[in-house]
Amino acid sequence: MNITKKYYSKFKIWFNNNDNHYLFIGYFFLIMQFFVFLGNYQSERYDVFFWFCNHTPLFFAFGFFLKKRNVIKGLINVGFLGQFAWTLDFLGRILFGEHIFKMTEYVFEGDRGLWVLLPIGIHVLSTNIALYVTRKRKPDIYTLLYSSIYILFLFVGTLTYTLIERNVNCIYLLCGATHLTFNYYTYLWPILVFLIVVLPTQGIQYIVHKISTKTK
């Protein structure tokens, strides 16, 4: 027991160093991306890698390795609300037997064994961990700039390399509310994501920053 405490204390001291802290989290995301690649490669559905949740662990990993906090926060802006809605939908199914947004039905279909833990872990953990680790960094105009660049990357990549029927990143139909999809929705998708997803999340990150840096 004393040996365990000794190594835990050493790890805690090492981890509390900012450089080591970010390095550890970077490797965490890199390992997560490895399992995402392995799981999706076996399914032979390669276009699913264009879903936000299936490639951003790699982006987060390099963001943490390079300590590019605005890049990390820019990615959070794009994915936080979507993954939060996914988590609510998942919990709704678990607790009440009903899908709120019909976003997680695929998790409960078929026999996927332990692989079912993969989408759960990605959606519940990735942006939340990134937000927590960078909570003391104030989001600024550069955060919005990186969010905008990533939105354009996502938009062009999804339109170019994915099938319409897969509706990757909800570009063709509004996920959870397809009946509300309107004409020219796809063409307006980048603007809608920026206004409805990015800006509110920027505000959430600002509030989290204020709370985390508030002196008692």
Side-chain angles (χ1 to χ4, degrees):
M1 184 64 70
N2 289 333
I3 295 177
T4 303
K5 288 183 178 179
K6 177 182 177 182
Y7 282 106
Y8 173 74
S9 297
K10 286 185 176 180
F11 173 78
K12 190 174 180 181
I13 293 171
W14 178 87
F15 186 73
N16 284 336
N17 179 285
N18 270 342
D19 289 340
N20 296 335
H21 190 77
Y22 272 61
L23 186 65
F24 181 86
I25 300 299
Y27 278 117
F28 169 82
F29 277 111
L30 198 59
I31 292 170
M32 179 183 285
Q33 184 65 65
F34 170 77
F35 283 108
V36 170
F37 174 80
L38 196 61
N40 289 325
Y41 181 79
Q42 290 183 344
S43 70
E44 297 184 351
R45 291 175 56 185
Y46 307 118
D47 60 349
V48 299
F49 285 110
F50 281 91
W51 275 101
F52 173 91
C53 57
N54 283 335
H55 63 262
T56 46
L58 181 63
F59 288 13
F60 277 132
F62 284 107
F64 278 103
F65 286 146
L66 299 173
K67 295 188 284 295
K68 298 294 185 180
R69 295 172 182 83
N70 272 323
V71 171
I72 297 168
K73 298 186 84 63
L75 292 171
I76 294 171
N77 273 348
V78 179
F80 177 78
L81 288 182
Q83 295 200 333
F84 181 71
W86 192 100
T87 302
L88 287 180
D89 192 67
F90 175 75
L91 292 176
R93 174 63 172 78
I94 293 293
L95 298 176
F96 308 109
E98 295 290 339
H99 292 282
I100 302 171
F101 306 111
K102 300 187 183 302
M103 298 172 69
T104 61
E105 292 175 320
Y106 70 96
V107 174
F108 301 92
E109 296 172 351
D111 182 15
R112 304 179 64 187
L114 290 177
W115 286 111
V116 74
L117 298 176
L118 189 59
I120 298 172
I122 294 170
H123 288 89
V124 174
L125 294 177
S126 59
T127 53
N128 287 315
I129 288 176
L131 177 59
Y132 177 78
V133 176
T134 61
R135 66 194 184 281
K136 293 185 178 181
R137 171 78 178 207
K138 182 180 177 181
D140 54 30
I141 190 66
Y142 293 104
T143 307
L144 293 175
L145 175 62
Y146 285 118
S147 294
S148 301
I149 293 171
Y150 176 69
I151 287 172
L152 291 177
F153 162 80
L154 207 59
F155 183 65
V156 174
T158 304
L159 288 179
T160 305
Y161 297 107
T162 69
L163 300 175
I164 294 177
E165 55 268 28
R166 298 271 174 83
N167 194 32
V168 173
N169 296 311
C170 311
I171 277 185
Y172 297 102
L173 296 170
L174 188 60
C175 291
T178 56
H179 61 287
L180 296 178
T181 305
F182 51 87
N183 291 336
Y184 306 110
Y185 162 80
T186 298
Y187 301 104
L188 294 174
W189 185 87
I191 298 172
L192 293 172
V193 170
F194 186 82
L195 295 177
I196 300 173
V197 176
V198 170
L199 290 182
T201 308
Q202 177 90 344
I204 291 171
Q205 292 206 73
Y206 180 77
I207 292 171
V208 170
H209 159 74
K210 293 294 288 185
I211 293 173
S212 64
T213 56
K214 186 178 181 180
T215 56
K216 296 183 178 179

